[in-house]
Amino acid sequence: MLKDQTMSVVFDGSPLKAMQSSHSHTPQAALSGQELSQEIKSFISGVDTIQGRKLSVREHARCAVRLLRSVPACRGAVLEHLRGVYDEHVSAFLHNLETEGDANSAVSSNLEDIIQEVHGVLSEFIRLNPRAWAPLVSAWAVDLLGQLSSKHAGRRVAPHSSSLNELLQLWMSCAATRSLMEAYSQCLAAMLAWCPDACVDALLDTSVQHSPHFDWVVAHIGSAFPGTIISRVLACGLKDFCSHGAKDQGLVVMGVEKGSRVPKIGSVVGILGHLAAHHSDSIRKELLRMFQESLSPSSPLSPTSSSTSWESSPQLRRAAVPFLLQLAAMSPNLFGAVSAELVELLRPPVLLQLQALLQGLPREELDNMLGLAVHLISQSPSGGARVLRFLADTATPASVIISGPTPSPHEGVREGCDRLLQMLLLHLHKLVYNRSDGVEGNPHHPASSQPQTVIPFLEELQTHVGELCAETLRLERKRHLWLHQLLCLLSVYGGPSVATEALCQLLTQARNPEELALAWQLHTTLSSCMAGLIPAAVARCVAQIHTHTLGPRQLRQLLLNLAAAIQSQDEERRGALGAQSTMAVQVGSAVSGHLHDFGPLLLHGDPSVSHAAVRLLSVSPLPRTSSPAHLLLLSRAAVTHFFLALRRRGEGGKGGRDGGQAGEAVNCSVLLLSRFAAYSPLTLKAVLQQLVEGSLHKGNADLFGGQIADMSGAPVAAPPVSPDLGASLLDINCRFGTTVNFSGSVWSVFHAGVIGKGLKVRTDTPLPDPSGVIQNIQTLLAVIVQCCSSSGLNGSRPPSDPDEPPPINAEAAKVIAVTLVENVCPDVANGELSWPPEEHARTTVERDIHIRRCFEAHPVLFALLQVVAAGRPALCYCSAVLRGLLATLLAHWESSREALSTDSPWHLQASCLLVSCMGEGQLLPPVLANVHEAFPHLTPFEVRLLLLAVWEYVRGNGPMPQKFVFSSEKGLFCRDFSRDGDVARYVAPIHSVLHKNIDRLGHLCWRFQL
């Protein structure tokens, strides 16, 4: 065939003359006719016509070169002869490698210069007349490369055909094959402008004939001409794929094993894989172009298109999509290069075209294609989250509102994606649950000897657990079921770490009970194969709290969800046993182990977070054992939150916003404090002490109608409105020194500054809301009473009548009494229980005034005294405070010149409350305990007489706790006044006052009968 082509070429002498004159490397002149005839005879016969001996390989080859240069019409015969020369050089080159000899052996040194000379001649011919020489030389070079590659493919030093890089390194180090490659590249570069198809077709025809040993040539040429080679390689592979698979005019059966029956597709994968290192962008564009062209309707051929183009064949266009699927299945790199943009291309118009293309396929072939697509998705190393979102969005029914600008897909397209998604979930289920078979059955078998199968799709989704949980919680019909199933598979695949993160994300992001139920469903599915999942999830949530990775809104939602989970235990107590109630017990147990971690959230700056925290802690079970340090920190945080909640409730009531939430926070705080107090004697004492101290603290005094008092107990005026001028003595003395002249004197005068800043500015302190103050005092008393009446603490018993309030625990009341004395009068010794004569009160005047000022600044003290009085005999430990307050009241009524006691309202109220508390605490007998009822109707002097009678009785009958006896019937300590002697002598002043004011006190006489 090569000779026929040679005879058909018309010889033109003008290029030959120019070429001969331009050959600088050819020193000999043009041959004469006789010499030319001798050269032809020697070339044909292989014998030197002058000397009569046989020509050596080198001499014969040089003769051929001379003929090629002088008689181009002989080029067919010369090129045919040079095939043997090249083959002999390649054989010698490979033999030297096999014998571990030097590549530059004798044969190489004898023929390499001949090869270089042939290359120079052909290169010059192609440069001067490419249209005549380029097609001929390109066909010869590529055919010879194919023959050499196939012939020597089985040599020991030749790498496997799949190792393109090693093959390239081997053949490009050989001078013969390198020369052929450079000649073909020159021809292709010259023919690209006017006839690229002929050159590329010869390359691909040889590739089909000598594949896969010839793939290294195509790969190397493709690196030099990627735009041309990539498209032609894909077209050639498509034709070969269709011809091998199209039996009886039917499309191919798509299976993963298909590549073994199609010889060319493996070569296409190898070539494109080699080119992908430097030309991945070109490959990606060409693959996407082939996909788009296969879906677009057929169009008439353009003048530039080839008659053999695959776009013009309907059969090839239908086979393009299966071909691309098979190509992607055989090369993950090629699939990864196009998967990202392929998802972006799959818009509704393209999906409709794809559906129309696949509708004509038989059922079996369509199933095989879907199976291959599922296999590709599961093995996709990147872009899995994008593919999943596309499938879920497209398969979602039209009745569901999809976020984003994506229009509703066609019903057929939706059903197809629905089916694909179901097949993907089933395939992943098989992969996940079958990947560890054989390892679990034999416990003595080391796990490292059988590594578990890696699923790239799930590996990539492990970094998108949070997004997957957020999409699942949208609760869209069918969509959230798919995603929840995938979340379960991902948790099983990833192990406890991924499962813990998924459960933690669901607990953090769920916004209502329906969404929170998805967390219970996930736990139910995973609990059969994973233990300790809930404690690990709670620990992970705590770790997120410590690292501040959650915002206030997420943190609040997490705490509320945990509280809702624990509160579901009530259903279990009612008999509704189930997975949810069982999980609630586990959540409560896990949270109870981290109470010291949730405690600081009570003081969070965001009110909603602190409210959620107190709600969680108020329903969480307390741990069986806990360190005292943690208990004290928790109690302090709970008490501080209680006062903050009271303040927020008052502010919410004024502003009209969040009043309900603030009230709920107060109720939860009360419940939390009562549960803490019932936990142990340590927490009871800590909570009561901090409640009393907090109510008297200057920052909380206004909540209970009090005023900020200084160390002496006197109210402190508000800070001045005028700014501090910040006078500097240095500046004053600088100015002072310049105005007075002390020259010649030994004295120095300095200015000592001005003392004070003038008169204090009077500011009107805002009066607190009376209703708010009363509500706060009632709330404080309620929590204190609940703490003091907790059952099972030091002898307190529930009352016999369930309608009666539980009795106040004596020890708890004693804690309040001692704390109250320490805060009101710190210098009082605990042993000061007995009262001295009234005239001796002048020795403690300063301390008594301080006590009275404390009661004036803190009205809540009287309410606290009433609680102490109810827990008899705790009021005995307040003896010093009672004595100091009574002494100041006696002094006031003695010095008062008012007409009636009602003209001193505070002192009248204090006197009534004081006597009432002493009567409740049984420091006074009933006769004396009722005298406060007559105070509003008396003069100041008469009030003093009655209070003096009270003083004398307490002095004569000291308030000692030993005088109280526990009554098992009442569950209280009671005092038997019959043992204290005659009370009549203390009642005489009372009867005298009654007789004097019988007109106003007649209705009270029965209250003072002995």
Side-chain angles (χ1 to χ4, degrees):
M1 182 179 67
L2 191 59
K3 293 180 180 179
D4 295 340
Q5 293 177 356
T6 304
M7 297 302 294
S8 64
V9 177
V10 180
F11 171 67
D12 184 3
S14 58
L16 176 62
K17 296 178 183 179
M19 181 190 65
Q20 290 174 347
S21 63
S22 64
H23 267 295
S24 59
H25 66 277
T26 309
Q28 65 267 31
L31 299 176
S32 63
Q34 184 179 0
E35 292 173 341
L36 192 58
S37 177
Q38 292 176 354
E39 290 287 349
I40 294 175
K41 291 178 182 179
S42 298
F43 173 73
I44 296 174
S45 63
V47 178
D48 191 345
T49 56
I50 299 177
Q51 298 180 2
R53 63 179 178 81
K54 186 177 180 179
L55 295 174
S56 63
V57 176
R58 176 183 175 78
E59 292 171 342
H60 204 170
R62 190 167 292 282
C63 176
V65 172
R66 288 196 295 271
L67 282 178
L68 182 63
R69 184 183 296 112
S70 304
V71 188
C74 300
R75 56 181 175 262
V78 171
L79 293 177
E80 189 68 26
H81 173 75
L82 289 177
R83 288 174 181 266
V85 176
Y86 276 75
D87 181 53
E88 186 168 350
H89 179 271
V90 171
S91 299
F93 171 78
L94 295 177
H95 177 72
N96 290 335
L97 290 181
E98 290 173 346
T99 58
E100 298 181 355
D102 188 10
N104 297 322
S105 60
V107 177
S108 180
S109 61
N110 289 335
L111 295 179
E112 190 164 350
D113 57 341
I114 299 298
I115 291 174
Q116 292 178 357
E117 189 172 350
V118 171
H119 178 71
V121 173
L122 293 177
S123 177
E124 192 68 17
F125 282 169
I126 296 169
R127 184 180 65 83
L128 294 175
N129 193 358
R131 289 184 177 270
W133 284 93
L136 180 68
V137 175
S138 65
W140 170 77
V142 76
D143 185 59
L144 182 54
L145 281 171
Q147 291 181 2
L148 293 176
S149 301
S150 297
K151 178 180 179 180
H152 300 285
R155 299 291 288 267
R156 181 164 55 86
V157 294
H160 192 267
S161 59
S162 61
S163 305
L164 290 184
N165 290 327
E166 298 180 9
L167 275 174
L168 264 174
Q169 187 176 2
L170 172 69
W171 291 121
M172 294 304 289
S173 62
C174 177
T177 50
R178 184 173 64 250
S179 171
L180 293 173
M181 186 68 76
E182 292 175 358
Y184 179 80
S185 299
Q186 185 180 4
C187 294
L188 182 58
M191 297 172 64
L192 280 179
W194 50 277
C195 185
D197 288 341
C199 193
V200 176
D201 287 343
L203 176 69
L204 297 180
D205 290 342
T206 308
S207 174
V208 174
Q209 182 180 358
H210 297 285
S211 178
H213 312 299
F214 188 72
D215 292 346
W216 70 273
V217 178
V218 184
H220 182 75
I221 297 300
S223 299
F225 307 96
T228 302
I229 298 301
I230 292 173
S231 60
R232 301 297 300 181
V233 165
L234 285 174
C236 176
L238 175 60
K239 294 176 184 177
D240 191 78
F241 175 82
C242 190
S243 62
H244 279 76
K247 293 181 180 180
D248 300 330
Q249 303 301 322
L251 284 180
V252 296
V253 177
M254 289 302 301
V256 179
E257 71 279 359
K258 175 66 182 170
S260 61
R261 299 193 291 107
V262 182
K264 188 54 194 164
I265 194 168
S267 299
V268 173
V269 169
I271 294 169
L272 295 181
H274 174 78
L275 297 178
H278 300 288
H279 305 284
S280 60
D281 191 56
S282 300
I283 295 175
R284 176 180 53 80
K285 291 180 180 178
E286 191 60 34
L287 290 173
L288 294 175
R289 188 192 70 83
M290 176 175 278
F291 173 73
Q292 290 176 305
E293 290 292 334
S294 67
L295 299 181
S296 60
S298 303
S299 59
L301 294 176
S302 60
T304 59
S305 64
S306 171
S307 60
T308 60
S309 177
W310 66 271
E311 291 93 339
S312 61
S313 171
Q315 183 180 4
L316 292 178
R317 293 168 68 89
R318 288 197 303 270
V321 173
F323 168 70
L324 291 176
L325 278 175
Q326 184 64 47
L327 201 64
M330 297 180 65
S331 175
N333 293 331
L334 295 180
F335 177 66
V338 301
S339 61
E341 289 198 20
L342 185 61
V343 174
E344 298 297 331
L345 283 177
L346 294 178
R347 296 301 177 189
V350 178
L351 290 174
L352 287 175
Q353 294 174 354
L354 184 60
Q355 182 199 14
L357 178 68
L358 299 180
Q359 275 180 345
L361 295 181
R363 177 78 177 188
E364 182 181 0
E365 297 173 9
L366 186 60
D367 289 344
N368 289 332
M369 282 190 60
L370 289 177
L372 185 57
V374 166
H375 171 75
L376 286 175
I377 295 174
S378 65
Q379 299 302 319
S380 172
S382 61
R386 184 179 300 179
V387 173
L388 177 64
R389 176 180 289 274
F390 162 75
L391 290 176
D393 288 344
T394 311
T396 301
S399 59
V400 178
I401 300 176
I402 303 175
S403 61
T406 306
S408 178
H410 187 266
E411 186 64 23
V413 175
R414 189 198 65 75
E415 293 178 357
C417 281
D418 188 345
R419 183 181 175 192
L420 182 63
L421 194 55
Q422 297 282 5
M423 293 178 64
L424 174 63
L425 292 174
L426 180 60
H427 181 65
L428 292 175
H429 188 276
K430 294 178 180 179
L431 291 178
V432 168
Y433 284 98
N434 294 337
R435 68 192 185 111
S436 57
D437 288 349
V439 179
E440 297 176 355
N442 186 5
H444 303 288
H445 189 79
S448 59
S449 62
Q450 288 190 2
Q452 293 184 339
T453 306
V454 175
I455 306 176
F457 178 74
L458 295 181
E459 285 286 337
E460 199 258 344
L461 280 184
Q462 288 185 17
T463 59
H464 300 276
V465 174
E467 302 171 12
L468 188 59
C469 292
E471 289 292 325
T472 306
L473 292 174
R474 288 168 60 182
L475 295 181
E476 294 176 350
R477 183 163 61 95
K478 296 184 70 173
R479 179 191 181 99
H480 81 280
L481 299 178
W482 298 327
L483 297 180
H484 191 269
Q485 185 178 354
L486 180 61
L487 194 61
C488 294
L489 293 175
L490 186 62
S491 300
V492 175
Y493 174 80
S497 61
V498 177
T500 299
E501 182 182 359
L503 190 57
C504 180
Q505 290 286 347
L506 291 177
L507 288 174
T508 304
Q509 299 184 27
R511 297 181 296 270
N512 51 56
E514 291 77 13
E515 296 180 2
L516 190 59
L518 294 178
W520 311 153
Q521 297 173 14
L522 178 66
H523 174 262
T524 303
T525 305
L526 300 178
S527 59
S528 59
C529 57
M530 296 183 191
L533 188 58
I534 289 181
V538 173
R540 186 180 183 89
C541 295
V542 171
Q544 290 183 344
I545 294 174
H546 286 317
T547 55
H548 302 285
T549 56
L550 298 177
R553 183 175 300 178
Q554 293 176 314
L555 182 55
R556 168 186 173 273
Q557 195 62 55
L558 170 64
L559 298 175
L560 292 178
N561 289 337
L562 291 176
I566 297 174
Q567 285 178 324
S568 62
Q569 295 184 41
D570 296 339
E571 298 181 4
E572 182 179 8
R573 292 168 184 162
R574 298 189 191 106
L577 296 176
Q580 182 172 350
S581 59
T582 303
M583 203 194 82
V585 175
Q586 298 183 29
V587 172
S589 177
V591 171
S592 67
H594 293 278
L595 287 185
H596 58 280
D597 296 306
F598 292 106
L601 297 179
L602 294 171
L603 307 180
H604 195 277
D606 192 331
S608 61
V609 174
S610 63
H611 174 216
V614 73
R615 183 174 176 182
L616 171 62
L617 294 179
S618 64
V619 299
S620 172
L622 297 177
R624 294 182 180 272
T625 58
S626 184
S627 65
H630 288 165
L631 293 176
L632 293 177
L633 288 176
L634 280 173
S635 61
R636 185 171 295 277
V639 171
T640 305
H641 175 270
F642 169 75
F643 291 110
L644 289 175
L646 290 180
R647 186 171 299 280
R648 288 168 184 162
R649 183 177 66 178
E651 295 173 354
K654 293 178 182 178
R657 299 177 302 170
D658 300 332
Q661 180 178 354
E664 183 185 0
V666 172
N667 296 334
C668 292
S669 184
V670 171
L671 177 60
L672 175 62
L673 289 173
S674 62
R675 296 179 70 240
F676 272 162
Y679 181 70
S680 68
L682 174 65
T683 54
L684 172 64
K685 183 177 180 180
V687 168
L688 292 177
Q689 283 182 342
Q690 292 159 15
L691 281 174
V692 174
E693 293 174 356
S695 63
L696 301 179
H697 189 269
K698 61 181 180 180
N700 303 323
D702 58 320
L703 294 175
F704 309 101
Q707 302 175 2
I708 302 176
D710 58 8
M711 293 301 295
S712 64
V716 177
V721 182
S722 59
D724 186 5
L725 300 179
S728 171
L729 289 178
L730 179 61
D731 295 339
I732 294 175
N733 280 282
C734 287
R735 293 192 297 271
F736 184 70
T738 57
T739 56
V740 182
N741 185 9
F742 295 106
S743 60
S745 174
V746 297
W747 301 102
S748 297
V749 179
F750 295 98
H751 195 283
V754 178
I755 298 175
K757 299 178 181 178
L759 295 176
K760 293 181 180 179
V761 180
R762 290 185 175 274
T763 57
D764 296 332
T765 57
L767 296 177
D769 181 22
S771 61
V773 169
I774 295 174
Q775 185 182 19
N776 291 338
I777 292 178
Q778 290 177 346
T779 305
L780 176 66
L781 294 181
V783 68
I784 290 178
V785 169
Q786 287 188 26
C787 293
C788 293
S789 59
S790 299
S791 61
L793 289 178
N794 299 324
S796 66
R797 298 181 182 180
S800 57
D801 187 0
D803 295 334
E804 295 182 5
I808 301 296
N809 181 265
E811 291 296 326
K814 179 181 176 181
V815 173
I816 301 177
V818 173
T819 307
L820 192 146
V821 172
E822 290 177 353
N823 284 269
V824 173
C825 191
D827 59 342
V828 173
N830 292 331
E832 296 188 29
L833 299 183
S834 60
W835 287 35
E838 188 269 338
E839 59 269 12
H840 290 175
R842 65 191 67 181
T843 59
T844 57
V845 170
E846 185 176 359
R847 189 180 73 180
D848 297 343
I849 293 175
H850 171 79
I851 293 174
R852 190 206 64 196
R853 286 179 174 175
C854 285
F855 275 85
E856 288 179 344
H858 301 284
V860 73
L861 283 174
F862 288 108
L864 294 177
L865 280 179
Q866 291 174 345
V867 175
V868 173
R872 298 189 289 266
L875 193 62
C876 297
Y877 300 97
C878 295
S879 177
V881 174
L882 299 176
R883 185 175 70 244
L885 180 60
L886 184 55
T888 57
L889 291 175
L890 286 172
H892 169 76
W893 294 120
E894 182 181 11
S895 60
S896 175
R897 295 298 179 264
E898 303 293 341
L900 294 174
S901 60
T902 53
D903 294 331
S904 300
W906 185 89
H907 296 84
L908 175 62
Q909 182 186 17
S911 301
C912 294
L913 292 175
L914 177 61
V915 175
S916 174
C917 289
M918 294 176 70
E920 177 67 22
Q922 291 192 349
L923 300 187
L924 297 175
V927 177
L928 292 177
N930 298 330
V931 295
H932 66 280
E933 300 178 11
F935 287 170
H937 309 284
L938 303 178
T939 62
F941 176 74
E942 293 170 338
V943 172
R944 179 182 179 278
L945 287 178
L946 298 185
L947 289 179
L948 192 59
V950 170
W951 181 291
E952 290 298 328
Y953 178 84
V954 177
R955 185 180 70 83
N957 302 276
M960 300 299 174
Q962 295 82 2
K963 296 183 178 182
F964 290 80
V965 180
F966 183 74
S967 173
S968 58
E969 296 179 358
K970 299 180 179 179
L972 293 173
F973 285 89
C974 298
R975 181 176 176 179
D976 186 6
F977 290 98
S978 62
R979 299 181 181 180
D980 293 339
D982 186 16
V983 189
R985 62 192 184 96
Y986 305 106
V987 183
I990 301 177
H991 289 166
S992 175
V993 172
L994 285 175
H995 294 160
K996 182 181 178 182
N997 302 281
I998 193 66
D999 55 335
R1000 288 174 294 170
L1001 300 180
H1003 63 287
L1004 296 177
C1005 289
W1006 69 275
R1007 301 282 288 165
F1008 304 101
Q1009 298 297 325
L1010 293 176

